[in-house]
Amino acid sequence: QLIQPIANGALTLSLETDFDGCMAIVQKLADRKDFYLANSINSLRIEGQKTISLEIVQQFNWKVPDWIIIPGGNLGNVSALGLGFLMMLELGIIDKLPRIACAQAERANPLYRSYQTGFTEFQAIKAQTTRATAIQIGNPVSIHRAVRVLKRFDGIVDQATETELADAAARADRTGLFNCPHTGVALAVLIKMVERKQVQPDDRVIVISTANGLKFPDFKVAYHNTDPGEPPPRYLNAPIELEADYEGVLRQIATHLDA
């Protein structure tokens, strides 16, 4: 993901730490007058992301969905969307609020752990390596705002394992979505909510997709290229190697169509 600023000629510093370690240094830099932190820790990003809430209800003729499922890492998205809906409610544009579900990767789940205590406790953790790299965060800066939003929206927090998020993303790919691993986390939580009947058949559910799958091609390539002896993933679609023979190609196509 850094290739764009690198290609654009930006000074790019690669630190030997994780997101939380980088954030600690960036926050110190932001204490200086010559730096500004354009992150969800301040209002710049939050105010911009609030518009997602407006676009959602506008696209559905100003009807509020039943659920919004949001991948959660630094938790700015949860805060922003919640504030957007509260603003519309205050202005009389909508007459109710959706419920919000925050979806975290099991390997980076401090909010989920807090939710298990009814939000009475929160403890930062050391995030483990997860395919959902953009939400591999153990000490989210927007934790307190996100908790306030979740309480106001009768929200829940759930998590997804590495297998669950990868399979959910691959399952969605088969419909043409081609989403990122973080969206896979949210889709995996949606599947769980449907299975436990938390989401009803006639509910309108919005899943926030954080990026196109083209932003994370290694994630897609790894899923569909398993090493010999490894158990194949549920939605594996490996290429079939054939000789360069017309009749052989035709037979393989026919076999596929008849399956």
Side-chain angles (χ1 to χ4, degrees):
Q1 295 183 59
L2 284 172
I3 193 60
Q4 185 173 354
I6 289 173
N8 291 158
L11 172 66
T12 306
L13 307 178
S14 180
L15 308 185
E16 294 181 355
T17 183
D18 58 10
F19 179 96
D20 297 309
C22 289
M23 180 56 65
I25 293 175
V26 169
Q27 285 180 266
K28 288 184 180 179
L29 286 172
D31 288 336
R32 298 169 53 98
K33 293 182 179 179
D34 47 354
F35 284 88
Y36 184 78
L37 177 54
N39 183 271
S40 55
I41 200 170
N42 58 38
S43 61
L44 179 68
R45 181 170 174 179
I46 297 294
E47 291 301 310
Q49 288 182 310
K50 276 168 55 174
T51 60
I52 298 173
S53 302
L54 278 74
E55 291 177 15
I56 288 172
V57 293
Q58 183 183 34
Q59 291 179 27
F60 289 104
N61 197 26
W62 304 104
K63 290 182 174 61
V64 178
D66 298 286
W67 283 96
I68 308 286
I69 304 179
I70 308 170
N74 221 18
L75 304 180
N77 287 352
V78 174
S79 307
L81 268 74
L83 291 174
F85 279 107
L86 289 172
M87 180 184 70
M88 287 187 288
L89 184 67
E90 181 180 351
L91 293 172
I93 297 173
I94 59 177
D95 58 7
K96 69 171 186 176
L97 296 174
R99 294 189 68 185
I100 289 180
C102 180
Q104 291 208 294
E106 185 184 50
R107 294 183 177 180
N109 63 352
L111 182 65
Y112 174 76
R113 297 184 185 201
S114 179
Y115 175 70
Q116 298 303 300
T117 72
F119 296 126
T120 59
E121 300 175 14
F122 172 76
Q123 185 174 357
I125 65 171
K126 173 66 175 178
Q128 300 175 36
T129 301
T130 171
R131 292 182 177 97
T133 53
I135 56 175
Q136 185 178 309
I137 299 169
N139 189 20
V141 299
S142 295
I143 174 66
H144 300 298
R145 286 183 293 191
V147 168
R148 286 196 298 269
V149 164
L150 287 165
K151 288 181 177 180
R152 180 71 173 82
F153 284 72
D154 191 20
I156 69 166
V157 185
D158 209 336
Q159 62 180 0
T161 66
E162 295 300 291
T163 297
E164 288 170 342
L165 73 88
D167 283 345
R171 181 179 177 182
D173 285 348
R174 295 200 170 193
T175 72
L177 288 177
F178 203 68
N179 283 314
C180 65
H182 322 94
T183 309
V185 175
L187 291 169
V189 167
L190 170 61
I191 292 169
K192 292 182 177 183
M193 292 172 68
V194 171
E195 289 175 346
R196 60 179 177 245
K197 301 188 186 306
Q198 206 162 14
V199 168
Q200 298 300 312
D202 58 347
D203 283 348
R204 174 169 283 169
V205 181
I206 304 297
V207 174
I208 300 299
S209 178
T210 59
N212 187 285
L214 290 173
K215 197 174 180 181
F216 299 88
D218 291 347
F219 167 67
K220 303 292 187 185
V221 171
Y223 186 89
H224 294 286
N225 285 272
T226 56
D227 293 330
E230 285 189 1
R234 185 173 182 180
Y235 299 101
L236 174 67
N237 186 29
I240 299 173
E241 296 185 7
L242 299 172
E243 297 290 337
D245 172 68
Y246 169 78
E247 295 296 336
V249 170
L250 198 60
R251 283 194 299 270
Q252 189 62 53
I253 293 172
T255 300
H256 175 76
L257 294 176
D258 291 337

